[in-house]
Amino acid sequence: MGFSLIGFLLFVLPHALSSLAPAVRDRAKAWVGEAKFKTSFAAVTTLGVISMVSAYWQSRTGGAGAEALYEPASGARAITMALVPIGVILIAASFGKGYLRHWLQNPMSLGISLWAIGHLLAVGKAAVVWFYAAMLLVAVMDIGSSILRGKRPIFDPLWQEDMKTVLVGLAVVALLVGLFHPYVLDIAI
C-alpha cells in the first residue's frame, strides 16, 4: 500500500491545491514563474501516477496492494462496460469543438469520472482502488472548481465534431478492450 498511498498523495495534493486554493496556486506561480510551476506540477503528478502504476504491477504478482478491499457486486462488470465507453467518448469530446463539449462544459472530467467509477465498481483490489479513487477525486474537484469559477467553453459548436468524437471514442474503446486489457494488462474482458 506504500506506493499506492504515496502516488495517491503526489497526484491528488497538487490538483487539490490548484482546484481548491487558486490564490495559493497563483502566488506559487508568481513566485517561481509559470513555466517552473507547470514543470514542477507535471513532474510531481507524473511521479504520483508512476507510483500508483508501479503499485498496480506489484499487486499483480501478489505483492502489496493485491488484497481485496471489497468484493465487486454481481453485474458490476456490465455497468462498467456501459460507463467506460461513454466516459472515453466524453474525454474525446474535450478535444473538439462540438455540442457535447459546449453543453457539458467539462467533458474531460466527466469522462474521467465515469471511467473511474466503472473501474471502482468492477475491481476491488487495493492498488486499483487507490488509482481510480485518485482519478475520481481529481475529476470531481475539477468539475466543482469549474462550476464555481463559471468556466465555460466559448466557440460555435459543430455537429461534425461530435461525430468525430464518437468515432474516435469508440476506436479508443476498441483498442482498450481488444489490445490493451488482454495483451498489456492480461485481463480478459
Side-chain angles (χ1 to χ4, degrees), residues 36-127:
K36 286 183 182 176
F37 179 85
K38 286 182 175 181
T39 301
S40 299
F41 186 95
V44 170
T45 57
T46 300
L47 188 57
V49 171
I50 290 169
S51 295
M52 289 186 288
V53 169
S54 174
Y56 169 75
W57 283 108
Q58 289 177 9
S59 75
R60 291 171 45 95
T61 58
E67 66 277 4
L69 297 179
Y70 55 86
E71 187 66 35
S74 64
R77 183 171 233 157
I79 294 169
T80 300
M81 293 301 286
L83 289 177
V84 170
I86 295 168
V88 172
I89 289 169
L90 293 181
I91 292 167
S94 70
F95 295 102
K97 291 188 177 183
Y99 282 91
L100 282 172
R101 180 173 171 212
H102 194 262
W103 291 331
L104 296 173
Q105 300 174 30
N106 202 340
M108 172 75 77
S109 292
L110 290 169
I112 289 171
S113 295
L114 292 176
W115 171 67
I117 290 167
H119 284 82
L120 286 168
L121 289 172
V123 185
K125 284 175 57 173

Side-chain angles (χ1 to χ4, degrees), residues 2-179:
F3 276 127
S4 291
L5 178 58
I6 290 167
F8 179 89
L9 293 173
L10 289 174
F11 186 76
V12 171
L13 291 178
H15 284 93
L17 171 72
S18 186
S19 293
L20 304 176
V24 174
R25 175 202 61 211
D26 293 343
R27 280 196 301 271
K29 230 187 255 189
W31 183 53
V32 298
E34 188 163 352
K36 286 183 182 176
F37 179 85
K38 286 182 175 181
T39 301
S40 299
F41 186 95
V44 170
T45 57
T46 300
L47 188 57
V49 171
I50 290 169
S51 295
M52 289 186 288
V53 169
S54 174
Y56 169 75
W57 283 108
Q58 289 177 9
S59 75
R60 291 171 45 95
T61 58
E67 66 277 4
L69 297 179
Y70 55 86
E71 187 66 35
S74 64
R77 183 171 233 157
I79 294 169
T80 300
M81 293 301 286
L83 289 177
V84 170
I86 295 168
V88 172
I89 289 169
L90 293 181
I91 292 167
S94 70
F95 295 102
K97 291 188 177 183
Y99 282 91
L100 282 172
R101 180 173 171 212
H102 194 262
W103 291 331
L104 296 173
Q105 300 174 30
N106 202 340
M108 172 75 77
S109 292
L110 290 169
I112 289 171
S113 295
L114 292 176
W115 171 67
I117 290 167
H119 284 82
L120 286 168
L121 289 172
V123 185
K125 284 175 57 173
V128 174
V129 170
W130 279 104
F131 179 80
Y132 287 106
M135 298 299 147
L136 180 59
L137 183 57
V138 167
V140 169
M141 283 189 296
D142 184 57
I143 292 167
S145 172
S146 294
I147 290 170
L148 290 174
R149 288 181 292 153
K151 180 180 166 188
R152 296 186 57 86
I154 300 171
F155 57 84
D156 292 325
L158 301 169
W159 286 109
Q160 302 91 312
E161 290 290 315
D162 291 315
M163 298 309 290
K164 287 183 208 172
T165 290
V166 171
L167 292 174
V168 167
L170 292 175
V172 170
V173 169
L175 290 171
L176 291 171
V177 170
L179 297 174

